[in-house]
Amino acid sequence: MLVTALLLLVTLCALGGHAEKTGDAERPGHVSVVVLGATGDLAKKYLWQGFFQLYVEQVRSGRSFSFYGGGQRTADVATPILFEALKTVSCPKEVSQERCAVLKDQFLRVSQYRQLKTLENYQDLAQHIEQTLKKDNVTEAGRLFYLSVPAFTYADIADKINNSCRPSGGAWFRVVLEKPFGHSLLSAEELASRLGSSLKEEEMYRIDHYLGKQVIAKILPFRMENKEFLDPIWNKHHIERVEVVVKETLDVKGRMSFYDEYGVIRDVIQNHLTEVMMLLTMRPPSNMSNSEEVVQNKLQVLSSLLPLGRNQAVIGQYQEYSSQVQLELNKTKDRRSLTPTFAAVLLRLDDAQYEGVPVLLLSGKMLDERVGYARVLFKNDMFCLQNDNSVHCKPKQIVFYFGHGSLQYPAVLVSKTLFKPVLVDGEWKEVTEHSNVKVFGSPLSDFYVQTPKEQREAYSELISRIYAGEKNSFISVENLLASWSVWTPLLSSLYTEFPRIYPGGEDNVDLLDVQLKGNDIKFKSEVVIIRPDQMGGTSGGGYQAIHGKFCDTDMVSAWTEQLVEKLAADLQEAAEAAVLESGVFHLALSGGSSPLALFHRLAFHHFSFPWRYTHVWMVDERCVSPTQVESNFYLLHNHLLQHVKIPYFNIHPMPVELNRRLCVEEDGGAQMYQELITQLVNGSSFHFVLLGVGYDGHVASLFRGTEVEKHGEQLVALTESPTKPHQRMSLTFTAINHARRVALLVIGKQKHELVTQLSRLKNDKDRYPVTRVSPSPGKSVWYMDYDALLG
Ligand code: BG6
């Protein structure tokens, strides 16, 4: 049946469309597409339309397809719902009505619903695909799974697909994932590690639908096409400010269970706006289709971002939000949510090209208009005495207008005071007839305007790129983790911040106007709409740290931010005392995301810290190159070391890479580190060891399965972690328990379960690595935030 349908279409269709671009997609034969969450909102609104468009474009080149809508429900219930959605797809403009009817009919015939719940369901699907291929005597070109389902189900589904649905015989295999990809650096790492055990990185396509928006996809090509004009001005000497703004008018009703956990920074700023910012500031690749180069250049931007302190963001929440949460999530009236629905963040890049240029990222719900744009505003050195309407007095700017707003269509706008951009892309055209529209207060006639000839939905665009195997339009795992490592510390520091309440829509007036002052951002108006003590409910009461005992050991507890302040203050006190006593302070720092907020606090508030006399050691390291974002040293360097005046020779990274290989026993890296400690640290006794505590109770890289007895008197050892990257180098308990002072940092709700377990431990003290921390004659102190302590 497939073959006949295909022949019919080949003769019927003579459509325009995107040609396949890369090798994989060109493999002849059949493609199976499986959409999980097939009857969900996203699939109904965008995905099926995107797949139909792909179908229309590809069948004429000899490709055949099957589409499977998958879901939890049984086929008798879900099939009619799926077909209702499939019937709504529409043809591209150039297809005649008659042809369109045939194409739609064919599309429906090659589509079906499958219940995909158990492993057997997936095995049946795989069998069905094999049988279809055999029956129609076609080879297989590829299989595509689109996971339009909640992220917590990803790992399980990936596992099932991996175990039952991989194609054989060289066909390609791709799995598409939708955000959210985690909630913080730690959760993103966990998700990446779980997915990584079923799928290869090159098989995963993590979607950020903003990268499919035509104007956003145009940013890099535009920069490259206009290199000649941009090279002299795309730098700190000429750029006044960069803005990436997404204003929305809707609220978040109907999505509260997701949104209240995430908020605007995680929902759109960590991903969409950050991606756009990177496209504007990254070094353009020498070849756009070299996805490795694109990833590396983006990573460079992320690693050059200066850490975000609390003063670099302001947050707001629309007035109705809390009552909407109460209603939708069945909460009591005194439950006040602190989730921000508006945020403006000021970024700065530590990079010779953009040093000192403010980069503003801003987004919010319930604002006065729906509009999205990225604007590069240039300095204007003209002084216009009388007629500031003359051309040379007008602002100089380049605007990538995503759509909506006053202009209503996507466009790239270049001030006529700058240059006339070239137009080399046949899919774009110049707009010369200007309506009365104004953009940022200037008439459209002040700009050269380019727009796509045909507007395409972001999802349709991305679906055809997945099909073509164009990985550079998707989020790589390195990028994802690097982005979370930028945003997680800010999110932690805002965790107990009270958002400014705004009424919504036009009534916001200037309440959300922001002012950029040096490195800080502030709301312009000082109006205090609501005070913490008026909020009631959630986190009221006590900003003081409390002191107590936990598992017979001293404990300090407070809200995260105050806890970090206290720990930083204690650290400085210990450093000063050590320097006074012996002229040097030996500090061993752990990796992971728990200490990031502390690093920022130290870097940006403790200017008198005796860094000059401090030696920084590492508690543990992952066996990866120090330039990779997974490396503990990479984080330590980016978030702390590069911002403080510490002599290079006082920094001691763990030698995990020797002889151009990683953590090989014979290379003796652990012994080298041990010798260095013995030589430099008096009695091998660090003054201060900072340990993050994992949710499974591990500290340093000493896990439940680690045979710590074997370490004996060793100070440093190679160990194995249950999560990726598996190989580690770590201080041993011998080294840790020699220290004068050990801080055990426990942060976040997800640690509460562990804390409960620890508090119940009686005789089974060896159950969790953390309980082996017992410095003698030194002492250890728990630093535990209220979330971890009280859940
Ligand atoms: C989504 C967010 O990723 O992007 C939504 O979850 C947001 O909250 C949407 O509204 C914005 O996308 P667009 O394409 O409408 O600008």
Side-chain angles (χ1 to χ4, degrees), residues 623-636:
C623 297
V624 295
S625 143
T627 54
Q628 277 180 259
V629 60
E630 288 97 337
S631 151
N632 285 342
F633 185 72
Y634 178 94
L635 286 185
L636 183 62

Side-chain angles (χ1 to χ4, degrees), residues 46 179 209-210 213 246 248 252 255 258-259 267-268 271-272 365 370 404:
Y46 298 113
K179 75 169 183 59
H209 80 277
Y210 265 52
K213 288 186 187 266
V246 172
E248 299 189 275
V252 273
R255 304 173 68 204
F258 158 80
Y259 200 90
D267 186 36
V268 295
N271 37 66
H272 306 328
K365 302 280 181 191
R370 180 176 184 199
H404 309 292

Side-chain angles (χ1 to χ4, degrees), residues 83 234 340 418 538 592:
F83 276 79
W234 205 258
L418 280 172
T538 47

